[in-house]
Amino acid sequence: GENVEQHPSTLSVQEGDSAVIKCTYSDSASNYFPWYKQELGKGPQLIIDIRSNVGEKKDQRIAVTLNKTAKHFSLHITETQPEDSAVYFCAAIDDYKLSFGAGTTVTVRA
Amino acid sequence: EPEVTQTPSHQVTQMGQEVILRCVPISNHLYFYWYRQILGQKVEFLVSFYNNEISEKSEIFDDQFSVERPDGSNFTLKIRSTKLEDSAMYFCASRLSTDTQYFGPGTRLTVL
């Protein structure tokens, strides 16, 4: 089955700086890669996703890039704000079920 | 905006007891999932459900687990005889026809 690795496990950034989280996947057949944000006491909330026929997707301060050849994808958050502090999970689709990375705890320092 | 809801938010039970975790998926969605997250570990797939039957299940989803869609709105996960290692956060998710899955807030299950 699919194996997703995510780095780093924790990330502390100064407010206004950028944050980058990287993930790799193992199954070259995977074609859908969502990113979820999880705040304390809440379930994962989809923030952006990308399909394998696209190399990059942007939504305001959030962007995701995908390199199919290398089997890795990344989340970029620009101009970070305190409300960006949360746990972020990458995932890859594997026969319609999601395989998740281990999560990155992002802390934005004011 | 429609959302997935789950009840209860926290369930405490004694080892060996049966628990039922409840989910109300987004109303027009067709595919339903249960995932779990043991503290400090990855979110793991348990089971997917479509057209009133299990589509796929993981190795974790053994005979102690069952799922049901008893009516047009609820989707339940039953654990027949809970073990200490069943303590986890359980998430329900649903999707319509695209790949995008929407997650509920989770139920924290504590087995004593």
Side-chain angles (χ1 to χ4, degrees):
Chain A
E2 178 69 271
N3 183 42
V4 178
E5 298 292 333
Q6 182 172 348
H7 300 280
S9 57
T10 61
L11 181 60
S12 179
V13 296
Q14 190 69 37
E15 183 177 357
D17 287 351
S18 295
V20 180
I21 304 170
K22 299 183 179 182
C23 289
T24 60
Y25 60 99
S26 60
D27 188 352
S28 55
S30 292
N31 60 6
Y32 172 70
F33 307 92
W35 285 88
Y36 287 86
K37 175 183 180 181
Q38 187 178 24
E39 295 173 311
L40 205 59
K42 297 184 179 179
Q45 296 290 309
L46 179 73
I47 55 172
I48 196 166
D49 56 15
I50 191 167
R51 298 183 188 280
S52 58
N53 58 345
V54 173
E56 184 174 353
K57 184 177 177 181
K58 191 172 180 181
D59 182 5
Q60 299 183 336
R61 296 186 297 109
I62 294 173
V64 58
T65 59
L66 171 65
N67 183 327
K68 279 186 62 180
T69 305
K71 288 190 279 187
H72 66 70
F73 56 114
S74 301
L75 178 73
H76 304 251
I77 307 173
T78 59
E79 300 171 24
T80 52
Q81 299 168 6
E83 54 263 37
D84 295 328
S85 294
V87 180
Y88 292 81
F89 293 96
C90 63
I93 203 84
D94 173 19
D95 216 11
Y96 291 107
K97 63 182 186 289
L98 292 172
S99 293
F100 282 85
T104 297
T105 302
V106 173
T107 303
V108 180
R109 307 186 306 272
Chain B
E1 185 177 318
E3 56 184 21
V4 177
T5 59
Q6 290 184 243
T7 54
S9 56
H10 191 190
Q11 173 91 48
V12 181
T13 190
Q14 294 291 326
M15 192 169 54
Q17 294 297 303
E18 175 183 286
V19 294
I20 297 176
L21 309 183
R22 302 180 191 280
C23 168
V24 178
I26 294 173
S27 64
N28 62 338
H29 282 192
L30 302 173
Y31 301 83
F32 313 111
Y33 301 82
W34 285 100
Y35 292 82
R36 80 172 185 189
Q37 184 179 27
I38 294 172
L39 190 64
Q41 297 186 22
K42 289 185 178 185
V43 177
E44 304 172 284
F45 167 77
L46 290 179
V47 65
S48 59
F49 191 86
Y50 170 71
N51 202 25
N52 278 321
E53 61 182 28
I54 290 174
S55 310
E56 190 170 353
K57 57 184 181 180
S58 71
E59 295 174 351
I60 304 164
F61 195 89
D62 61 21
D63 291 345
Q64 293 301 309
F65 291 86
S66 62
V67 289
E68 192 178 33
R69 188 153 163 82
D71 53 45
S73 59
N74 289 284
F75 180 50
T76 62
L77 173 69
K78 182 193 292 186
I79 309 174
R80 287 191 184 80
S81 178
T82 50
K83 306 183 186 74
L84 295 176
E85 54 265 37
D86 294 328
S87 294
M89 196 77 171
Y90 288 81
F91 294 107
C92 172
S94 70
R95 68 179 177 94
L96 182 51
S97 55
T98 66
D99 296 315
T100 305
Q101 295 183 25
Y102 296 90
F103 283 74
T107 292
R108 179 169 300 283
L109 177 64
T110 302
V111 182
L112 302 176

